[in-house]
Each structure stands twice: as structure tokens, then as C-alpha cells.
Amino acid sequence: MTGPAVGPLDRVAPRYGGGSLVDVLPSALALLGVPGAADLLGLAPRLAGVRRVAVLLVDGLGWYQIPTAAPYAPMLAGLAATVGVPLTSGFPSTTPTSLVSLGTGTASGAHGVLGFKVRVPGTDRVLSHIEWIGDPEPLRWQPVSTWYERARVAGVAVTVVSRPEYGGSGLTLAANRGADYRGAAGVDPLAERMLAALAAGPGPTLVSGYHPDLDRHGHLTGVDSAPWRLAAAEVDRLLARLVDGLPPDAALLVTADHGQLNVPDGHRIDLDTDPRLRAGVRVVAGEPRVRYLHVEPGATADVVDAWSAVLDGAARVLTRAEAVATGWFGPVPEAHLDRIGDVVVVCRDTYAVVATRSEPPMESRLVAYHGADTAAEMTIPLLVVRG
């Protein structure tokens, strides 16, 4: 398996428009003749004549985790070695942001789902995008049309297959609107329903599937733990079923939303037990690897100085303007700027900033995290298999 010539803890910038998650659906739909869709990933030479495309997103399957998974997922490793290339996720490298980036084909600044948790502007409320029901209204909060909507208008049959409990959530509406939604819990129902939707009609077809278990076990017990290894083996079984069932005029694209890093106990900085980190901070959002700090009026410079001193190289501490200027989020319209903290803290190496009192206890006890811009978190696979 070949990949980028950087180490897992090196910084990686999103390659929007030239090798990132946002390019997957436009490239797939260009094969199906959808107006405005561009084959930014160069799929056409390998997939000429394809009329049906399945896109499988495996949560937490970073490019740098594939060698670790290889003994338990030999098919995955073989596909990565023969038909795989590395892409980047967007920023932050976190599930809600990535799912909406996949669906819209835009970076986080444009679609506005700018992190795992963000402050609702004008309030002190923190919205968790994975617990989002109703308010804020999804079509206002995320205003960009999805590629599923555009594909349906162009006559493509479009289906999303994911966990039953996610149907109708704010995140599902933000990321997947325009597609028929099919619930599937577990590897076998997911494979069955993806393949059934792929073969259902004679015309151009797009099916998108989502599998969460590898990420869940990484968080709970760590990358390369025994449960994680079993989850990797299940990913391999899912791939085998999908590849074996592909119609001859179909292709399977396998990608991910982010990778993961195990964070040792000694690299966890608790913002709730150090008064220097609470001084001047009104609202804390984001997640342990990327924190958004909304501060009291006039406190930005003091908060930057205090966090820089306490973290002492464990993170980059930037103002909102500095963070936007990096290009991490792509262009950010005025309406979305306040969703980013006045101060943005991006962890380096394997550090994380937890909040043991003000956030649910489980969030501070996870083993693996993601969200920042290391290669291990940001680099994801694209595996291309033709039926």
C-alpha cells in the first residue's frame, strides 16, 4: 500500500477540489451524467460505462489505520494496495462535518456544520450535531443543496442506507436530503439494502451507505483494541458482500469521514480543573481535539495568551480570523462565522482538551479521538471497485 510521504502526526491541509471527501459525490455523479458534476477524482478512465454507483462511508477508517486493520481485514488491505488512493477529509475531521461535506460537495465553511458541537449564534446554547432534532431548522442551518437533490432532479435514483435511528434527524436532513432513506442496523442488512437499491431499476442509480461501528469501538476501547479488531473484521465482511454482489454495470467507492488517534491519559488537559483556562471564556464548543472558545467581550487576546501558556506547544491557539485564514474551512460566509469560536484550539501530537465537569463524563473517558489536522485524522481512503 502506498500513501502520502508524511508521518501520522504531521499536519495535513484539506485538498478541497483536488483530492478530498468533498470531491467524491461530484465525481461519482459525473459518471452518471448529472449536469454540473465534475469528475475531480479522475474516475472515468477506470469506470467508463458505469451506470450504478455505490458509495460506502466507513466511519473512522483512516488511511493510516488500514495497516493496523490488515491482519483482521485482508480484503480491505488488498483493495487499499491495489485500487486505493489517499484523500483528505475536511476540517474539522469529525463525523457531522464530513457527512455534510460528502452530501453537499462543499467545505465546512459553506455548509455551516463547522464541528461536532457548535454554539448557536446569539445564544449560549451548544448544539451537538449528532443529537440534533428540529431546532435549528436543518434547511436554514445548512443552506447548501445536496448532490442527492441535484441527482434526483437529473433522473438518478438516489438512496441512502444508514442506521434506522438516524432517519429524520437534523444531521440526516442536512447531509442527505433528496435521497430515499432506508434503515439498516448491522453489516448484513446494510449490504442487503445497498445492493437491493443498486439493482432496483434500469436507470442511473446512486446508493450511499454508512457504517459506524469501527469508529465507535475506536472511541470506546482504542484503535487496535480487541473490539476494534473485531469491528475491522466486520468491515471486511461488509466489503466482501458488496463486492460480490455488484452488478456488472456498477462500481463501489469506499471512503471514510476521518481517522483516529489513541490519546494517552497523560496527554489529556482538563479545562474544567484549571482556572486559567476558564478565565474569560463564556462558552466552550468543538470537541477534545479542536476546541471553539467563545469569550467575554474584549477577552480574546487574554484567552489566547492564557491557553498558549498553559498548553505550552500541545496545541495551536488562534483567533477566529487566523483560523479562517488558514483555509481549513474553505470560504466562510458571514452568516457562519459566529459558529466558529472567537478562539480556536487545535491539538498537536496526541493531546486532547477534555472537560470532565461541563460535558458528559463519557466524552472525557474515550480512548481514541479525532478532529484535528494530523495525517492520522485527516487522511482517508478512496477504494474504487468495478463490478
Side-chain angles (χ1 to χ4, degrees), residues 88-243:
T88 70
S89 70
F91 184 89
S93 54
T94 197
T95 299
T97 300
S98 289
L99 291 180
V100 182
S101 291
L102 173 69
T104 61
T106 62
S108 57
H111 62 63
V113 179
L114 280 151
F116 190 81
K117 296 179 181 180
V118 300
R119 188 193 70 160
V120 178
T123 76
D124 286 347
R125 175 190 170 197
V126 174
L127 171 67
S128 171
H129 283 114
I130 66 165
E131 299 170 344
W132 173 19
I133 300 293
D135 179 35
E137 202 281 318
L139 273 67
R140 288 189 176 183
W141 187 255
Q142 195 295 89
V144 179
S145 62
T146 70
W147 276 106
Y148 304 116
E149 292 175 298
R150 292 178 238 180
R152 184 174 293 281
V153 169
V156 177
V158 187
T159 304
V160 167
V161 186
S162 186
R163 298 282 302 188
E165 61 268 29
Y166 302 157
S169 72
L171 181 57
T172 292
L173 294 172
N176 301 325
R177 60 181 181 255
D180 293 331
Y181 193 89
R182 300 286 182 266
V187 163
D188 292 320
L190 178 58
E192 289 166 7
R193 286 165 198 173
M194 286 184 69
L195 291 171
L198 200 62
T205 302
L206 173 70
V207 179
S208 180
Y210 171 72
H211 182 59
D213 290 357
L214 190 72
D215 176 75
R216 179 166 60 88
H217 288 292
H219 281 307
L220 293 175
T221 59
V223 175
D224 206 25
S225 64
W228 187 90
R229 293 172 179 177
L230 290 174
E234 285 289 276
V235 170
D236 219 44
R237 192 163 68 84
L238 173 60
L239 292 181
R241 288 208 57 183
L242 291 173
V243 171

Side-chain angles (χ1 to χ4, degrees), residues 325-346:
T326 66
W328 282 331
F329 310 104
V332 184
E334 186 72 26
H336 295 164
L337 278 175
D338 284 349
R339 302 181 193 183
I340 302 170
D342 301 295
V343 177
V344 178
V345 180
V346 182

Side-chain angles (χ1 to χ4, degrees), residues 43-62:
L43 301 178
R46 287 178 283 177
L47 301 179
V50 160
R51 299 294 291 157
R52 307 167 194 270
V53 179
V55 177
L56 173 67
L57 188 144
V58 180
D59 200 328
L61 181 64

